[in-house]
Amino acid sequence: MTPSIPGHRHSIGITRRELLQVGYSGLLGIGLPSLLARPAEAADAERSKSASSRKPKSIILVYLTGAPSHIDTFDMKPDAPPEIRGEFKPIATRLPGVHICEHLPRLAARADKYTLVRSLTHRENNHLVATHHLLTGYQQPGAFFDKMASRDDWPSYASALNYLRPRHDGIPSGVNLPTFLMEGPLVWPGQHAGFLGPRHDPWQIARDPNAPDFCIDSLRLSPGLDVSRLSDRSSLLGQVNEQQDRLAKLAVARRLTDQQQLALSVLTSGKVARAFEMDREPPAVRDRYGRHTFGQSLLLARRLVEAGVPVVQANMGHVQNWDSHSDIFPTLKKRLLPPLDQAVAALLDDLEASGLIDDTLVMMLGEFGRTPKITGTSPGRDHWAPCFFGLFAGAGVRSGQVIGKSDKIGAYPVTTPFSPDDIGATVYHVLGIDPALEVRDRQDRPVRLNRGEVMRGLFTGVT
């Protein structure tokens, strides 16, 4: 029996109005719903007991928003006609017979550190629906075209983890950075807790870590609060009480009165706050990741994992960056592939050097691929969900292999395909959660968390 649990362009940044409209968690005031609204201890214990007791690991999801072309990056087709193969040349990697794009030399040199999957597939050719599927491991309920986020959506991985294994140590279960996925009025789904409710939303960071003045204001005290001047936690609590009326005006502070001590742990521990202090890193390390948004975002992701955050999603690019309907080759060559290549290579090197790679799954994915045939007078490729790629490393993944194969033009898998559901099952497996667990939706109906199969070949080498 299945176990059951009770219970297209966007600049970096999000306005307060946008935040309150969608009801998402943000770093406002001194707390977050996921920290301030502690569930009942008995329910917490029951949920945690139902989750797998296997030692959980961490996840860094490098999300290529807008969807990159698999044919022009990690699944090139040099023998196809020109209108298929494109302008880029393949280069050899450290794996015999395996080639990737010439503009990814660092990742080519590190092909023994990760596994490529070239047979990912699904049916959603629209950004929002596909994004929900990738970020939750489940199809968006009621969606057949682009559908903005709602509280009927499935929970993100971090949100499900927070629900099933709540923590009370001032460390969030998930952090998304450095941009909020939103296009006009459309909030991209998959970024929050869906039907599990706002208390389980991950932290949303919407500031560029490469900015000279980068800081997360809300990890600092609100005006008038100064930990250094306090002799004990009770005096801090008194100052918080004095500001309660002002903070209560913010949607995310509604439960402050019940969970003040929990919020104070964020302020006084400093563990997560220090992760955001990018200037603590030696300049040489920052240079190695690249002094650009991609590089500093992945450096911050590494720092957050070191601080104990189990799920970090780093959105590489604004909404339209990888959505290459036109100018695909100069855009990839000049703006996207070089910083991605530098940043991901540095991340893999650092995780390996520190030993964190053994306990951290790195995934690099977009929401789908691009059409095999180049389109338009300003060459581009359109949306293509039937075939795309994923890069996986760490957390027991058997590195140095290629799993799956697409046909001669990169249109469809010719080996066993894997869906976003399977990616979701794999994520939950790594996090130590049984993907088949049942949770309760907003109508209190039991629903299965995930219906995919763990991608065992990543860990065993047998596909």
Side-chain angles (χ1 to χ4, degrees):
M1 177 180 294
T2 303
S4 182
I5 311 287
H8 294 128
R9 189 172 302 277
H10 176 258
S11 59
I12 286 182
I14 177 172
T15 67
R16 180 168 177 249
R17 180 182 177 185
E18 289 171 342
L19 184 66
L20 296 179
Q21 279 178 336
V22 296
Y24 280 12
S25 301
L27 297 185
L28 298 177
I30 65 168
L32 303 159
S34 58
L35 295 178
L36 299 180
R38 182 188 300 189
E41 294 295 337
D44 286 356
E46 188 169 356
R47 287 199 290 266
S48 296
K49 183 173 63 176
S50 298
S52 169
S53 60
R54 186 177 57 81
K55 181 183 177 182
K57 300 181 186 295
S58 301
I59 306 286
I60 295 178
L61 170 55
V62 183
Y63 194 57
L64 309 183
T65 67
S69 167
H70 55 301
I71 296 172
D72 300 305
T73 55
F74 289 94
D75 192 10
M76 305 189 76
K77 303 296 179 182
D79 298 325
E83 65 273 18
I84 301 294
R85 68 173 181 258
E87 296 181 6
F88 298 157
K89 308 298 183 187
I91 57 172
T93 70
R94 294 201 50 161
L95 300 180
V98 177
H99 296 76
I100 63 175
C101 176
E102 61 184 315
H103 301 299
L104 297 167
R106 291 179 175 88
L107 288 175
R110 292 163 176 78
D112 58 333
K113 299 180 185 297
Y114 57 81
T115 283
L116 280 179
V117 177
R118 290 174 168 170
S119 55
L120 299 179
T121 185
H122 61 79
R123 297 179 179 179
E124 294 97 5
N125 270 328
N126 305 102
H127 288 296
L128 277 68
V129 180
T131 293
H132 179 282
H133 205 171
L134 263 292
L135 299 185
T136 68
Y138 210 97
Q139 289 181 303
Q140 189 180 19
F144 62 92
F145 196 73
D146 281 345
K147 179 178 180 288
M148 71 182 298
S150 83
R151 284 296 171 190
D152 291 320
D153 291 343
W154 239 248
S156 68
Y157 302 124
S159 299
L161 176 64
N162 183 263
Y163 174 81
L164 292 167
R165 196 177 294 134
R167 40 193 315 163
H168 312 297
D169 56 1
I171 297 176
S173 294
V175 174
N176 296 346
L177 58 95
T179 186
F180 188 76
L181 301 183
M182 188 169 183
E183 188 177 3
L186 293 179
V187 176
W188 287 35
Q191 301 180 84
H192 67 107
F195 59 71
L196 293 182
R199 69 172 59 181
H200 300 294
D201 286 346
W203 290 16
Q204 297 282 347
I205 307 300
R207 295 200 65 186
D208 184 354
N210 190 49
D213 61 345
F214 174 73
C215 66
I216 301 300
D217 293 333
S218 300
L219 288 180
R220 299 178 176 182
L221 296 170
S222 298
L225 294 178
D226 183 358
V227 172
S228 65
R229 293 190 288 106
L230 302 176
S231 59
D232 56 51
R233 292 172 67 91
S234 63
S235 59
L236 174 59
L237 183 59
Q239 293 193 46
V240 172
N241 283 329
E242 293 175 3
Q243 297 198 26
Q244 181 177 332
D245 289 341
R246 180 179 62 81
L247 293 175
K249 296 177 182 178
L250 300 178
V252 296
R254 286 178 296 186
R255 301 178 184 88
L256 182 62
T257 54
D258 294 329
Q259 299 301 332
Q260 288 170 323
Q261 291 294 341
L262 190 58
L264 296 180
S265 68
V266 180
L267 297 175
T268 56
S269 70
K271 190 173 183 181
V272 174
R274 282 193 297 273
F276 290 93
E277 296 175 3
M278 301 294 286
D279 55 2
R280 287 179 176 266
E281 287 288 341
V285 174
R286 299 194 68 178
D287 291 342
R288 187 157 46 82
Y289 276 81
R291 297 285 185 151
H292 40 66
T293 304
F294 283 13
Q296 300 308 296
S297 294
L298 291 190
L299 176 56
L300 177 56
R302 189 213 77 196
R303 291 176 60 82
L304 288 167
V305 167
E306 288 175 334
V309 178
V311 182
V312 181
Q313 178 181 322
N315 297 320
M316 295 291 96
H318 309 320
V319 172
Q320 285 185 323
N321 272 172
W322 297 91
D323 195 20
S324 305
H325 293 282
S326 62
D327 295 321
I328 184 171
F329 300 110
T331 299
L332 291 175
K333 178 180 178 180
K334 297 176 182 178
R335 292 204 299 114
L336 296 177
L337 293 182
L340 184 74
D341 184 51
Q342 180 181 16
V344 176
L347 176 66
L348 294 176
D349 288 348
D350 269 9
L351 292 175
E352 182 178 52
S354 67
L356 276 174
I357 194 68
D358 294 332
D359 294 311
T360 307
L361 176 66
V362 177
M363 305 190 300
M364 186 169 74
L365 298 158
E367 61 262 39
F368 41 64
R370 312 301 297 189
T371 51
K373 187 174 182 180
I374 298 169
T375 60
T377 55
S378 178
R381 299 185 193 267
D382 296 330
H383 303 176
W384 189 256
C387 191
F388 61 112
F389 81 94
L391 181 153
F392 300 82
V397 168
R398 183 181 175 187
S399 58
Q401 59 173 335
V402 176
I403 295 177
K405 182 180 179 181
S406 63
D407 62 25
K408 62 182 181 181
I409 63 170
Y412 300 96
V414 295
T415 59
T416 301
F418 299 98
S419 72
D421 305 73
D422 300 325
I423 295 172
T426 304
V427 168
Y428 286 126
H429 169 75
V430 169
L431 292 174
I433 291 172
D434 181 358
L437 281 175
E438 286 184 348
V439 293
R440 297 278 175 172
D441 66 11
R442 292 208 295 170
Q443 285 72 46
D444 198 38
R445 298 170 300 189
V447 293
R448 184 163 165 165
L449 188 61
N450 175 272
R451 295 188 177 278
E453 299 290 335
V454 176
M455 299 166 66
R456 301 286 178 185
L458 285 175
F459 307 100
T460 65
V462 179
T463 60

